[in-house]
Amino acid sequence: QVQLVESGGGLVQAGGSLRLSCAASGRTSSTYTMGWFRQTPGKEREFVAAITWSTGRKTYTDSVKGRFTISRDINKNTVYLQMNSLRPEDTAVYYCAAEYGSKLSDPNRVDYWGQGTQVTVSS
């Protein structure tokens, strides 16, 4: 069992920045990929960014490339999402996620979810 606890959400003006954190505890494994999805009311959960724990290989959805950066702190078992140049369309609940294996992109295959943290970007 793995627990994911998120923090760092909030309200920010367009063009501003936020950093999300996701701390993992329990029976974690270096074979997992961790990352972030986001969801707005009535919409499907969409992939945002991922990082493999063992190699640090990163992937991003096209809409956040060049603005968001995912990173990991191996010693702290924590994943970060630095979000810069935020836009109103980035407004969503952001969910930390972990999946066994070397990929993370399909919400239906995620093994563990964080509780979600609200990010609101005002225009």
Side-chain angles (χ1 to χ4, degrees):
Q1 183 73 270
V2 174
Q3 295 81 45
L4 305 176
V5 179
E6 306 175 43
S7 62
L11 174 65
V12 65
Q13 292 183 340
S17 298
L18 286 172
R19 189 184 72 165
L20 306 183
S21 299
C22 177
S25 62
R27 294 185 289 275
T28 58
S29 171
S30 63
T31 64
Y32 276 80
T33 300
M34 295 186 63
W36 301 85
F37 293 76
R38 63 188 181 187
Q39 188 170 28
T40 56
K43 305 296 189 298
E44 68 180 10
R45 195 165 296 187
E46 68 171 345
F47 170 75
V48 178
I51 184 168
T52 62
W53 203 253
S54 58
T55 67
R57 186 177 71 252
K58 303 174 181 180
T59 57
Y60 301 92
T61 192
D62 286 344
S63 65
V64 309
K65 288 180 179 177
R67 301 189 298 121
F68 292 10
T69 302
I70 190 168
S71 62
R72 75 200 197 282
D73 185 325
I74 296 174
N75 292 330
K76 291 182 168 61
N77 255 356
T78 299
V79 174
Y80 303 96
L81 185 67
Q82 179 67 46
M83 305 185 294
N84 298 326
S85 302
L86 282 162
R87 306 165 180 168
E89 51 263 44
D90 295 317
T91 295
V93 177
Y94 283 70
Y95 293 92
C96 183
E99 183 176 329
Y100 184 82
S102 59
K103 73 174 186 64
L104 180 77
S105 62
D106 183 353
N108 296 313
R109 298 191 176 190
V110 168
D111 294 309
Y112 303 100
W113 290 103
Q115 81 279 9
T117 185
Q118 176 70 48
V119 171
T120 302
V121 184
S122 62
S123 59

